[in-house]
Amino acid sequence: MSLNSNIPSGPLAQKWDQHKFDLKLVNPANKRKFEVIVVGSGLAGASSAATLAELGYRVKCFCYQDSPRRAHSIAAQGGINAAKNYQNDGDSVYRLFYDTIKGGDFRSREANVYRLAQVSVNIIDQCVAQGVPFAREYGGLLDNRSFGGAQVSRTFYARGQTGQQLLLGAYSALSRQIGLGTVQMYPRTEMLDLVIVDGHAKGIITRDLTNGKIERHAADAVILATGGYGNVFFLSTNAVGCNVTASYRAHKRGAFFANPCYTQIHPTCIPVSGDHQSKLTLMSESLRNDGRVWVPKKKEDCRKRAADIAEADRDYYLERKYPSFGNLAPRDISSRAAKEVCDEGRGVGPSGLGVYLDFGDAIKRLGENKIRERYGNLFDMYECITGENAYRQPMRIFPAVHYTMGGLWVDYHLMSNLPGLFVLGEANFSDHGANRLGASALMQGLADGYFVIPYTIANYFATSKQKCPSTDHPSFKQAEENVTGIASRLLGIKGKRTVRSFHRELGKLVWEKCGMARSKESLEAALKRIPELREEFWQNVNVPGSGQSLNQSLEYAGRVADFMEFAELLCTDALNRDESCGGHFRVEHQTEDGEALRHDDKFAHVSAWEFKGVGNKPELHKEELVYENVHMSTRSYK
Amino acid sequence: MANKLNLTLKVWRQDNAADGGRFETYPARGIDEDMSFLEMLDVVNEELIEDGKEPIAFDSDCREGICGTCSLVINGIPHGGRKGTTACQLHMRNFKDGQTISIEPWRARAFPVIRDLIVDRSAFDRIIQVGGFVSVRTGGTPDANSMPISKEVSDKAMDAAQCIGCGACVAACKNGSAMLFVAAKVSHLNLLPQGKPEKTRRAERMVWKMDEEGFGGCSVTGSCEAVCPKEISLDFIAKLNRDFALSVFK
């Protein structure tokens, strides 16, 4: 099957504007005849559901949380990028585009990224109009700060809670539509299968998490905005409920999964404290605006208190290795640098897996009050978790899984290879290449939902002749039987091990073999072990309770069952991509300085995988990446 | 190495909304003081499952204090009583070895129990749906910097906007009132110039909906402010009352 990215022709800067004109429209009176399913209510889901309903489509929106306001976008801390150039520091749409392409290590699509940079400016206008209380200067205008991988200040923020405020903005727009009756909201409802009719995505099967009721929903199109798959690693900064189920079950129905090996390990998270831990907590990248990262120069100093280590004995390794970006080096590079110094035995804290993020100089320069104003809530959170006061002693941080750049394959219209199935936000693969820059996830989620999908979905409706099927169609029956079959199988095993113990073991395996550093040997070992573990899961998992009531063990078991299969896809892709790029670091491919070494001759493509049955090798489809405007240089932040 | 605690839990168990419910007692042994309260419950649940029992159902998601999902009354106090802290961010170092801890769901007429410690808070969503927004559509908005907003006003709106919608304020209130929740949203939007055109209508509709959903009246005792994990100020209730009064006298 050929992968057509449907990138419009013409000069980069005019592609989207011209294409918006070329796309077919649905006239206002006809829009109400089309029904759209939106799965997920984070930035991408809520913004698309609200916007499509405003336009006149009939929308059903689903989320597993008890309210759409709780989707995990809410936890994003630092900010959102936009090429407003309010600082007059040389920013432009082209620069944001270029930084994002370069930050992604030349593994994303030029046309998509350019469009993202273009609409970034509209997002800020939209959010302000909704009442998002972005930080302001005394003159009343919006304030900005810097994020990793950029030399301009283009990040808009609302204290350390930008994701919360943006999500509440999208939630307010969504709520308004629910109140008006144009969106039917289904909270505490999980999508468990995608329904394909005549090759088009035309519905979903859901489970009501409060009473176990399985339902069929038909529509003219299905939008997945279901986030990333970071929880395949068990420990990540994702919410504990985040899962790959919706995406993966769509994959099993034929949607291609692109670049699953592109996972982002965020450099500034609170280190793991013990086996009991259920998740890891991010400390916003914005802290690196004022915090300096260091470890002791000498191993023997690692056990000393930070205050007892003399200035001359500290190694500010990011400033040393990357003088022009310093502490704001991109995430993949900062994470690997932290791993490197810890591997050398210079890590700090009880586990030796930690580095310092020190605000001592910033407090001296700006005063404690200024630092409190900028990052107060983050310092409070740090103290809550660790019991340590970061105004008095440096924070300890370590990299943790945070975001996944890979996702379901989509074309320029954000439509998957299955017509009628659109994928937005973190759930798709398209904009961040092999590494995402800070403050770009919020930008992408809202760009997709507010400003891209309204145009492209209309074109699908106007050109596709597929009618919304009845839920009595045999495809619905078959999908429903699949869903009830999985639940009864899980409940019937009555084995000895809990779901969590399987998830923890899988996550540890994937982290060790396919985490910050990957090799042929480690990946082959993982690919050998994952099917064994999956086999054991299906033989020996213990899922108590019944399917006809609220049953958190059953919900969790279904998600972990999918991670058990998805992990194999992730490692297969990582093994196949025999190069290093961005967050995907194959130890066999590095420069003399230990930086990622790409092989553009062999791997300047998107790897899109087609499901071929559980345990069978998926089929690889390639989409070549063509760079007409930027030169694929070696990334340097030195 | 972190200290270990041995605790006794008295946990509210209730099969569904119709069930009367009861307390059950479970031991929590060898609890690491670095665990969060919810991680402690995870450990207890693992043991319950291994003993062939049904685990305790409780809500949580982000586990970093921002999504507002977790909703436990711990020793009689919503979120457990540590200032400005949700249950998921409450760590076991705040408890003593040998302690008995009671764990209950939010208790309020407008928040019916679904199972064990899980309640239905959809009434909050319905309040937002009648007025917790600025009526703008996507697109066609002016440049973000075309309307300067003083830092003081913006900061104050942000103080109110921080509400995570967890419902602790309702759970703490003897009347089961949602005034702090409503006041936070009304204040966030009514303080900003973008929210001014709908100011009185918003206050009127949200207060009316709050009453309709079965939340009680406010007698300004301040227990809501005391338990609010985002430390939303009681002053916002005064602001809501002013804005609501305007709707009565308009």
Side-chain angles (χ1 to χ4, degrees), chain B residues 50-61:
Chain B
E50 279 163 12
D51 291 349
K53 295 180 186 143
E54 289 219 25
I56 303 156
F58 66 94
D59 259 333
S60 79
D61 206 22

Side-chain angles (χ1 to χ4, degrees), chain A residues 214-225:
Chain A
I214 304 292
E215 282 190 338
R216 306 173 180 187
H217 298 273
D220 293 280
V222 176
I223 295 174
L224 297 188

Side-chain angles (χ1 to χ4, degrees), chain A residues 225-241:
Chain A
T226 49
Y229 47 85
N231 275 348
V232 67
F233 292 91
F234 184 65
L235 285 181
S236 80
T237 65
N238 286 187
V240 291

Side-chain angles (χ1 to χ4, degrees), chain A residues 5 45 76 86 108 112 146 169 187 191 196 225 228 232 296 312 366 397 437 593:
Chain A
S5 58
Y86 283 162
S108 46
N112 284 56
S146 308
M191 168 186 156
I196 312 286
V232 67
L366 302 164
I397 54 166
L437 290 183
D593 308 337

Side-chain angles (χ1 to χ4, degrees), chain A residues 578-620:
Chain A
D578 197 13
E579 66 162 351
S580 295
C581 56
H584 171 64
F585 191 71
R586 284 284 298 266
V587 296
E588 303 95 329
H589 303 284
Q590 49 184 307
T591 64
E592 282 176 13
D593 308 337
E595 305 289 349
L597 185 61
R598 292 196 321 261
H599 293 299
D600 294 339
D601 50 334
K602 281 185 277 185
F603 290 100
H605 62 249
V606 176
S607 302
W609 298 93
E610 182 180 0
F611 182 74
K612 288 287 174 188
V614 179
N616 297 337
K617 193 168 175 351
E619 186 180 338
L620 176 63

Side-chain angles (χ1 to χ4, degrees), chain A residues 277-386:
Chain A
Q277 213 148 349
S278 59
K279 74 154 283 158
L280 296 172
T281 304
L282 177 76
M283 289 282 104
S284 169
E285 178 161 311
S286 61
L287 291 167
R288 291 196 274 146
N289 273 291
D290 287 306
R292 297 179 71 195
V293 177
W294 64 275
V295 289
K297 281 185 181 163
K298 294 177 281 195
K299 275 189 213 175
E300 49 277 24
D301 284 351
C302 290
R303 294 284 157 223
K304 286 187 188 165
R305 291 187 329 133
D308 298 337
I309 302 171
E311 191 62 30
D313 292 329
R314 300 175 177 195
D315 178 13
Y316 295 90
Y317 58 89
L318 286 176
E319 297 171 25
R320 171 172 59 79
K321 291 173 72 172
Y322 309 102
S324 59
F325 282 71
N327 293 298
L328 284 172
R331 292 179 176 174
D332 53 340
I333 288 176
S334 307
S335 290
R336 269 201 298 282
K339 178 179 188 296
E340 218 169 83
V341 294
C342 292
D343 287 349
E344 288 165 18
R346 296 194 285 140
V348 298
S351 62
L353 295 174
V355 301
Y356 288 126
L357 180 62
D358 195 339
F359 292 87
D361 284 354
I363 288 171
K364 255 182 249 160
R365 189 173 75 243
L366 302 164
E368 193 174 310
N369 279 340
K370 192 77 198 168
I371 295 298
R372 195 181 300 278
E373 189 185 304
R374 284 186 189 164
Y375 314 110
N377 67 320
L378 299 171
F379 278 56
D380 291 348
M381 196 198 286
Y382 183 80
E383 182 167 9
C384 231
I385 295 170
T386 62

Side-chain angles (χ1 to χ4, degrees), chain A residues 49-50 53 57-61 174 177-185:
Chain A
Y57 297 107
R58 287 179 292 132
V59 178
K60 285 182 176 178
C61 183
L174 174 62
Q177 295 304 316
I178 297 169
L180 292 169
T182 57
V183 176
Q184 258 184 292
M185 187 70 218

